[in-house]
Amino acid sequence: MDSTTRKRTLEQSNQIASASNLQSPTVKRKRKATSNTQQRAQTRDWPDYFKDVYKALNTVIAFCSSRKHLATTFPVIRSSVEALLRGPLDLNKVAELKTLLPDLIKFAYIPTSQHRINAASSSSSKGKGREASPGYSMYSAGGALEEDEHVLVLDFAELNKSKRNKANNSFSLPPSLSPAATKKLIERRNELFENAVNELLSATPPEDSPIELLQVAAKEHLPIEPKYKGSYMQYQDDFTVTSEVPDPRNRPSVKQALREITGKQSDNYDEEDINEYIGLHWYKGQIVYRQTSEAVPGTIGQLDKALSPTIAHALKMSRNITDLYTHQASAINAIGEARNIVVSTRTASGKSVIYQVPFLRFLEEDPTSTAIFVYPTKALAQDQRAAFEQLLQNCSGLEHIQVATYDGDTPQERRRWIRENSSVIFTNFDMLHASIIPHEDLWRRFLKNLKLVTVDELHYYSGLLGTHIAMILRRFRRVCAAVGNRRSAFISCSATINNPRKHARAIFGLDDIEVITDDGAPSGEKEFLVWDPALIDPLEPSLGYQSAMHEAITLMCYLMKRGIRAILYAMKLLRMRLSSEGRMDVLNRDRRKIENEAFSGNLLGIVATTALELGVDIGVLDAVIMLGFPKGGLASFPQRQQAGRAGRRARDSLAVLVADQSPVDRQYVNNPKALFDSPTADLVVDLDSKIILEVHLQCAGHEMPLSMDDEVYFGPQFREVCETYLVKDKDGWYHTHPRYLPYPAKNVSIRGVEEERYIVVDITNLFSAGGSPKVLEEVEVSRAIFEIYEGAVFIHQGLTFLVKELSHDSKMARLVRTDVSWITKPSNIDAKQTYRIREIKDALQKAFYGRVEVHTTVFGYFKIRGSTILDVIDLETLPFIRETTGTWIDVPKGIIRRMRTKGFNPAEGIHAAQHAILNRFSMAEDLRTECKVSQKEYAIHPTSRKRPARLIFYDKSGEGVGVSAKAFDIVSKLVHEAYDTIKKCLCDGGCIKCVDSPDCKENNLVSSKLGAQLILQGILGFETDWSSFPDVDLDETPETVVEAGPVHTVERVEVEAV
């Protein structure tokens, strides 16, 4: 075949593929109904080429599926099919069937470990079991081997998946197929194949051969063995395709990529025609909403005082900056006049220049000047330090300036050198709290010369943590004033602050703060998409819907193959998808190399956690894919943290929210404009918390004795707290109470009560020659409960390990490398002792505050592949028990009985009512409740683990935190507001404004808006006309909630009035 003929054949195959569903099935096209007689007549007219092979494959795979619910390997299927055909089964023939039915047939390499149900240890598996299936790929050239072994799998998608259902448990036991059901399944699949072939034949022009066109199109579906890395050549007859890692410099525009995906040449998306165009074969109208943010040119500002030639040269050489944007110039001008500022502009608008350039000026004027730059994470501090050092090295005369990172990893022997020699430190509030302020005598040189204090990512500090930070900064300002320095300027930066002046004032305790929000940085055109997973096959709805993860991975792979650099907040399944396509060369796996390559912009794909929201500059990204509504809420979308990762350097970019099946995600699919139009809530700092004020005054009293003059720092409650909790000497000075000595700061955890940690050790290679155990990480007990019980699968950096042994005495878990999926059953929470009782306005019910025990028991786990449970493992484990404080309200006994009579599930109402109250509480992020688990509440078999009917809220970090006490103090207000909100909300079954929560770890599946209304109505003592509520058909589920009994009350507790 010459090049001209090959080109023509390719063009024709693409045209026919689009018309005949080979590459581009679309949601709007409908098959014509045909009778069985017509189908049989059409089948008789087929060329012999299309007969027999598919039906033989279908029969063998259906038989295997009815006997064992495991992935089927191609070698096993091949031998059986060849026996039926009495001839060879060519790999290309299977690829052609995959081309005809791309969504029904799975034909790809997967890791061998994903093919197992039972993990085999390295010691026991050697030399045992059947030989690994041979690999089949389109080439046999040598290449570098990956450490993972892969097997070629040939299988069908299940035809019995359910439709979207709020109460669906997401996981199901595999179906048991009778001979009749197996026969019916074979017939349904045969019908799908016959329809696809008929469409191909009818769409092929008379002058062309449907067989040749199918053969050419099938080359895209030949499996690629993942063990060969790098660019590769694919050979098939005299047809050659070169596949190499795309060059991002030559990538298409985002608009062009979207046109390729959708097949839509216009960029105007109307709701009526958004899905009417034929694009890539996997696009079936998933884009339910599209919004374009136009490009914004940069606006140059002017400095009141020009930069010195040295600083201007450094900016040019290190960052190619020749002009400053308006917000940068305004901020630098304000700092030059010794004003405190907060800068709130878009992500990647050059905010670091705002405080780094003024400090260079201070150093030019006075080489003894010092500065503190505070960041929320070590990674961000390291990133900013490297950028600042590069700036210094290009600043003639300042190359000698010492820069240091000062965090928990800094060795003790180096800390003294840093105090005595550094001009700027990159640190965090933990170090400021426990190491710098308590030792002001050691830091006196540094503090006396302090010119700038910069707090980056100010939005991070809210709620409980933000309240601690506010107290730390007041202590810090007090110490600076004591050493004679009242001149330091306080600078804060963030991209996501609502009402920045109010929040900055609360954090710093300063009134004179200038706000800069006029963003002068350029911004490229940004496309925002809401992506709703589609039916696996629109023409066969019984296949069900694609998972959000599958959709996100499919989109991610496409973008990378087109050279569009993307970031996805997920991990494991993307590795599997790329390995099945032989493209592990696209996704780099070495962590250190990832860090370097990401910063330089060389990586095509990055899979990350939400820690990257905190501003680490990971280079040029073109697209960000958010899997489900961000847990950070609306602050993460749009143009905020997660969505802001893309287009950070004035290029066009893409942000995609791939919705899952949670009620919160469904709400935004149905009302996508709310993502863009709804305001974010104000950040909260609880300056009225006496508990937090007291512990920091204990610290301050140890740093320097307190007097009434210090009320200017700590507010109106200062006098009362000092008189009540501190020790007053004969001269009127207040000192730390002895119970906090000798080191008060070490007794105060600003991130809540410190949890015990378990060491996670990989012993996979322990018994190999030269092998040794390897510490993977340390895990907090709250995570360890669900992640490192014996038999559990632990995920570390996208790799999975099987927990072989767990010791609670040594706090150590020993793991081996393997690959299995699982879920666990939940925890039980109950009140144990009452410290306080409070009235609820106009109600007979009371609210209680006291000691709460959180019991967590792992009763078992599932081994899961996809959404199918392969095995159920029961465990007998001792419960993890931890104590904390909380507040609770018992549900009136009569309400539970009446709800059951009317057919309501009390667990749904209790869960929804708890969310409704938390939605009204400004510090809900630091409070926990018992989220109901669908697998438990909708179980078929009765459970002995019944919980009392009470609304309960507890401190997530342990006793002494005080957030639940804050909620208890205003509980009457919260309950009334929650009830009023539910009554007035116009939604049908619940939304995030009333009873749903974006932070619900169980996706709000067990929830009833009407049930919550009935429960709150009963608590408030309102009359309920039960006849006005319809009877609900309650599924036959066991009772999981019982009436709440009394809780022991400590002596001399009086009921507090509202």
Side-chain angles (χ1 to χ4, degrees):
M1 183 186 297
D2 58 32
S3 59
T4 303
T5 305
R6 181 188 305 139
K7 181 177 180 181
R8 177 178 176 273
T9 302
L10 276 172
E11 291 174 348
Q12 290 177 334
S13 67
N14 289 335
Q15 293 170 358
I16 300 303
S18 296
S20 62
N21 196 32
L22 294 186
Q23 292 181 341
S24 308
T26 174
V27 76
K28 290 294 182 181
R29 183 167 44 81
K30 296 182 179 179
R31 292 180 183 145
K32 295 180 180 179
T34 56
S35 65
N36 291 334
T37 302
Q38 290 174 319
Q39 272 192 340
R40 285 193 293 270
Q42 290 175 339
T43 303
R44 285 196 299 269
D45 296 335
W46 284 2
D48 292 340
Y49 188 83
F50 294 107
K51 299 177 180 179
D52 299 330
V53 173
Y54 178 84
K55 294 184 178 180
L57 270 176
N58 186 12
T59 301
V60 170
I61 294 176
F63 176 81
C64 293
S65 298
S66 68
R67 294 299 188 273
K68 58 176 184 178
H69 305 291
L70 303 175
T72 48
T73 63
F74 179 66
V76 173
I77 299 298
R78 184 181 203 177
S79 60
S80 300
V81 172
E82 288 177 343
L84 288 176
L85 295 176
R86 294 186 175 87
L89 175 63
D90 185 56
L91 196 73
N92 297 291
K93 194 75 173 180
V94 180
E96 292 168 13
L97 299 178
K98 168 73 173 175
T99 306
L100 285 167
L101 298 169
D103 295 314
L104 182 63
I105 297 176
K106 178 181 180 181
F107 189 42
Y109 282 93
I110 67 170
T112 304
S113 54
Q114 289 294 317
H115 184 59
R116 303 190 192 106
I117 285 185
N118 296 311
S121 65
S122 57
S123 60
S124 63
S125 61
K126 291 179 180 178
K128 295 183 180 181
R130 72 174 178 83
E131 186 176 338
S133 301
Y136 292 86
S137 62
M138 63 179 68
Y139 61 94
S140 57
L145 288 174
E146 294 284 345
E147 64 176 20
D148 293 333
E149 294 295 330
H150 289 72
V151 63
L152 182 58
V153 167
L154 174 59
D155 207 347
F156 284 101
E158 294 294 337
L159 283 171
N160 58 352
K161 293 191 176 181
S162 63
K163 298 181 180 180
R164 287 187 177 125
N165 185 352
K166 181 176 180 180
N168 184 20
N169 292 348
S170 300
F171 302 107
S172 61
L173 289 169
S176 178
L177 296 179
S178 63
T182 303
K183 180 181 179 181
K184 184 177 181 181
L185 180 65
I186 293 172
E187 292 173 349
R188 290 171 67 192
R189 288 173 176 168
N190 284 341
E191 181 183 351
L192 292 174
F193 172 70
E194 291 166 1
N195 287 337
V197 173
N198 289 333
E199 286 188 0
L200 169 64
L201 297 177
S202 62
T204 304
E207 66 272 16
D208 292 318
S209 166
I211 297 173
E212 291 183 5
L213 295 177
L214 178 63
Q215 289 172 340
V216 172
K219 298 182 188 300
E220 291 292 325
H221 293 284
L222 283 168
I224 303 168
E225 193 167 2
K227 67 181 181 180
Y228 299 100
K229 297 197 298 186
S231 54
Y232 51 86
M233 303 293 290
Q234 303 175 4
Y235 299 99
Q236 186 65 34
D237 300 328
D238 57 352
F239 176 77
T240 305
V241 177
T242 303
S243 182
E244 298 188 7
V245 176
D247 185 350
R249 293 172 296 182
N250 300 323
R251 74 165 176 85
S253 68
V254 169
K255 271 187 165 53
Q256 183 180 345
L258 292 179
R259 290 169 189 160
E260 291 177 1
I261 292 173
T262 63
K264 181 179 172 69
Q265 297 307 308
S266 170
D267 296 319
N268 296 320
Y269 273 59
D270 298 324
E271 293 183 3
E272 293 77 16
D273 65 357
I274 196 168
N275 298 323
E276 289 183 356
Y277 298 83
I278 298 174
L280 298 180
H281 74 85
W282 46 265
Y283 180 74
K284 304 180 180 71
Q286 291 96 321
I287 300 175
V288 296
Y289 187 77
R290 177 178 178 180
Q291 180 166 308
T292 303
S293 177
E294 299 297 333
V296 178
T299 306
I300 304 302
Q302 297 296 322
L303 294 176
D304 296 338
K305 178 183 177 182
L307 298 176
S308 68
T310 301
I311 297 177
H313 173 77
L315 287 172
K316 170 65 177 176
M317 298 304 296
S318 64
R319 304 182 192 179
N320 197 29
I321 294 176
T322 56
D323 295 295
L324 297 173
Y325 301 124
T326 50
H327 66 283
Q328 294 172 327
S330 298
I332 293 172
N333 289 336
I335 295 172
E337 297 176 5
R339 297 203 296 269
N340 306 305
I341 64 169
V342 54
V343 180
S344 181
T345 55
R346 290 190 302 266
T347 303
S349 56
K351 288 186 285 292
S352 61
V353 172
I354 286 168
Y355 53 86
Q356 292 178 1
V357 167
F359 185 59
L360 294 180
R361 280 181 162 180
F362 286 133
L363 288 171
E364 286 184 331
E365 297 170 0
D366 179 6
T368 66
S369 298
T370 60
I372 294 177
F373 298 156
V374 184
Y375 302 91
T377 66
K378 293 178 182 179
L380 182 53
Q382 294 284 11
D383 177 60
Q384 292 297 325
R385 174 188 167 178
F388 185 66
E389 285 180 327
Q390 185 181 25
L391 189 61
L392 277 176
Q393 291 305 311
N394 288 281
C395 202
S396 178
L398 297 179
E399 301 92 340
H400 67 285
I401 294 298
Q402 298 296 320
V403 178
T405 300
Y406 192 79
D407 57 28
D409 295 332
T410 305
Q412 290 293 333
E413 59 272 16
R414 178 164 169 76
R415 295 188 182 190
R416 179 177 178 180
W417 185 93
I418 292 175
R419 290 193 298 266
E420 295 176 354
N421 298 281
S422 293
S423 296
V424 57
I425 60 171
F426 291 74
T427 188
N428 52 56
F429 278 113
D430 301 85
M431 299 303 292
L432 204 65
H433 161 65
S435 183
I436 297 177
I437 304 176
H439 303 288
E440 60 82 18
D441 55 322
L442 302 177
W443 288 88
R444 197 158 293 169
R445 173 201 69 88
F446 195 96
L447 297 179
K448 281 185 176 181
N449 296 295
L450 187 64
K451 297 296 193 301
L452 283 182
V453 178
T454 297
V455 178
D456 202 8
E457 304 294 337
L458 190 64
H459 73 279
Y460 182 78
Y461 306 107
S462 65
L464 179 64
L465 176 61
T467 305
H468 278 292
I469 299 312
M471 293 297 124
I472 290 171
L473 283 168
R474 283 155 175 78
R475 286 165 47 203
F476 180 75
R477 288 173 45 230
R478 174 175 176 259
V479 167
C480 287
V483 300
N485 183 359
R486 299 176 183 269
R487 304 175 305 278
S488 300
F490 289 84
I491 316 301
S492 56
C493 302
S494 179
T496 56
I497 290 183
N498 189 35
N499 200 341
R501 177 181 280 108
K502 176 183 176 182
H503 189 59
R505 283 177 173 175
I507 290 290
F508 291 105
L510 298 167
D511 291 328
D512 56 332
I513 294 180
E514 182 173 331
V515 179
I516 297 173
T517 57
D518 184 16
D519 193 342
S523 175
E525 183 178 73
K526 185 183 289 289
E527 297 283 353
F528 294 99
L529 305 180
V530 177
W531 187 284
D532 190 24
L535 288 165
I536 293 175
D537 186 346
L539 303 174
E540 186 58 54
S542 62
L543 286 173
Y545 290 86
Q546 296 284 9
S547 69
M549 178 67 80
H550 176 274
E551 295 279 324
I553 292 171
T554 299
L555 181 60
M556 175 86 164
C557 291
Y558 164 78
L559 294 173
M560 288 191 294
K561 291 174 184 176
R562 296 295 282 120
I564 297 174
R565 288 170 286 206
I567 183 170
L568 170 66
Y569 294 96
M571 183 65 188
K572 179 182 174 184
L573 294 181
L574 179 63
R575 294 178 61 251
M576 292 172 55
R577 174 66 172 268
L578 288 174
S579 69
S580 72
E581 298 185 15
R583 295 317 306 259
M584 292 303 286
D585 55 328
V586 175
L587 183 65
N588 198 303
R589 293 175 55 189
D590 183 80
R591 183 176 180 178
R592 291 183 180 274
K593 193 171 183 180
I594 284 174
E595 293 173 351
N596 295 330
E597 293 292 286
F599 184 79
S600 63
N602 292 333
L603 281 187
L604 284 172
I606 298 173
V607 184
T609 65
T610 54
L612 274 181
E613 294 177 23
L614 295 175
V616 180
D617 189 353
I618 52 175
V620 180
L621 288 173
D622 304 310
V624 57
I625 302 173
M626 293 164 283
L627 188 59
F629 183 71
K631 290 298 182 183
L634 286 172
S636 294
F637 194 97
Q639 281 197 7
R640 295 164 187 173
Q641 292 304 308
Q642 288 185 16
R645 300 306 306 171
R648 289 167 61 91
R649 294 182 183 174
R651 290 167 59 103
D652 65 329
S653 61
L654 175 67
V656 185
L657 173 64
V658 180
D660 63 24
Q661 301 308 309
S662 73
V664 172
D665 281 50
R666 305 320 306 162
Q667 176 183 339
Y668 285 115
V669 167
N670 296 327
N671 185 25
K673 291 185 179 180
L675 286 167
F676 305 87
D677 300 337
S678 301
T680 57
D682 287 349
L683 300 177
V684 176
V685 176
D686 185 15
L687 298 179
D688 296 326
S689 173
K690 290 183 181 179
I691 294 175
I692 295 178
L693 175 60
E694 186 231 326
V695 296
H696 283 280
L697 289 182
Q698 300 286 3
C699 295
H702 189 253
E703 291 148 10
M704 292 182 301
L706 292 157
S707 72
M708 286 300 112
D709 293 338
D710 293 317
E711 185 175 353
V712 66
Y713 296 106
F714 298 105
Q717 297 185 107
F718 171 79
R719 181 185 297 272
E720 178 188 350
V721 172
C722 283
E723 293 284 356
T724 306
Y725 299 106
L726 276 70
V727 178
K728 185 177 182 180
D729 66 20
K730 61 181 182 179
D731 296 322
W733 296 92
Y734 294 92
H735 303 266
T736 304
H737 193 281
R739 71 175 182 272
Y740 284 88
L741 297 175
Y743 304 111
K746 292 186 178 180
N747 295 322
V748 179
S749 173
I750 66 176
R751 300 177 192 275
V753 174
E754 290 290 341
E755 294 187 82
E756 291 183 322
R757 291 174 176 266
Y758 282 69
I759 299 174
V760 180
V761 181
D762 177 12
I763 61 169
T764 305
N765 299 319
L766 181 60
F767 302 105
S768 304
S772 62
K774 176 185 177 183
V775 176
L776 298 178
E777 60 180 282
E778 292 186 1
V779 177
E780 301 87 350
V781 67
S782 57
R783 277 184 60 202
I785 291 171
F786 292 106
E787 296 186 23
I788 59 173
Y789 54 86
E790 291 184 10
V793 171
F794 182 82
I795 299 179
H796 174 75
Q797 293 184 8
L799 302 178
T800 50
F801 298 81
L802 182 69
V803 178
K804 302 295 288 185
E805 182 182 349
L806 174 65
S807 171
H808 294 299
D809 294 332
S810 62
K811 299 289 188 296
M812 181 179 294
R814 294 173 174 84
L815 290 68
V816 294
R817 180 78 175 85
T818 187
D819 229 317
V820 186
S821 299
W822 85 105
I823 65 171
T824 63
K825 295 187 178 180
S827 59
N828 293 324
I829 301 156
D830 200 8
K832 292 299 179 182
Q833 191 172 44
T834 302
Y835 300 156
R836 297 169 62 189
I837 304 174
R838 192 177 187 87
E839 291 180 345
I840 298 176
K841 184 180 180 182
D842 300 328
L844 295 177
Q845 292 297 112
K846 305 289 190 298
F848 303 88
Y849 172 81
R851 178 169 62 88
V852 171
E853 282 187 355
V854 181
H855 289 240
T856 308
T857 304
V858 178
F859 296 100
Y861 61 92
F862 302 145
K863 290 182 177 179
I864 297 168
R865 175 176 292 131
S867 60
T868 300
I869 300 173
L870 302 176
D871 201 0
V872 180
I873 308 297
D874 293 323
L875 295 176
E876 292 185 6
T877 61
L878 295 175
F880 288 80
I881 302 175
R882 57 192 178 98
E883 290 189 353
T884 183
T885 49
T887 185
W888 63 90
I889 307 169
D890 291 344
V891 179
K893 293 183 171 69
I895 296 296
I896 299 299
R897 291 193 295 268
R898 293 300 297 269
M899 288 182 71
R900 288 201 178 102
T901 301
K902 297 294 288 184
F904 289 96
N905 186 327
E908 293 177 342
I910 289 173
H911 191 196
Q914 289 173 154
H915 282 168
I917 291 174
L918 283 177
N919 286 345
R920 311 268 65 80
F921 185 45
S922 61
M923 297 186 69
E925 63 179 290
D926 295 306
L927 208 56
R928 291 292 179 265
T929 190
E930 183 184 17
C931 288
K932 307 297 184 183
V933 184
S934 59
Q935 286 94 341
K936 184 175 183 178
E937 303 302 336
Y938 302 132
I940 298 174
H941 303 291
T943 175
S944 61
R945 301 182 295 276
K946 296 179 172 64
R947 277 101 55 236
R950 57 171 52 106
L951 314 183
I952 189 165
F953 313 92
Y954 61 96
D955 289 310
K956 68 175 183 179
S957 303
E959 288 193 85
V961 173
V963 179
S964 63
K966 178 75 174 180
F968 177 76
D969 288 338
I970 59 172
V971 66
S972 179
K973 174 176 176 287
L974 295 176
V975 174
H976 279 276
E977 288 183 354
Y979 175 74
D980 291 341
T981 301
I982 292 174
K983 287 278 288 183
K984 295 176 182 177
C985 190
L986 300 178
C987 70
D988 292 330
C991 65
I992 59 173
K993 293 180 181 179
C994 57
V995 299
D996 286 345
S997 169
D999 297 320
C1000 179
K1001 63 182 181 180
E1002 302 301 336
N1003 290 325
N1004 302 281
L1005 293 179
V1006 182
S1007 183
S1008 167
K1009 179 183 178 182
L1010 192 53
Q1013 179 182 331
L1014 290 172
I1015 286 174
L1016 294 177
Q1017 203 161 283
I1019 289 173
L1020 294 173
F1022 297 157
E1023 289 292 331
T1024 301
D1025 181 8
W1026 289 96
S1027 63
S1028 65
F1029 290 96
D1031 292 334
V1032 179
D1033 292 330
L1034 185 64
D1035 294 335
E1036 290 296 327
T1037 56
E1039 294 182 3
T1040 59
V1041 175
V1042 296
E1043 294 176 349
V1047 176
H1048 173 70
T1049 304
V1050 298
E1051 295 181 1
R1052 296 188 296 275
V1053 173
E1054 296 182 359
V1055 178
E1056 303 171 21
V1058 179

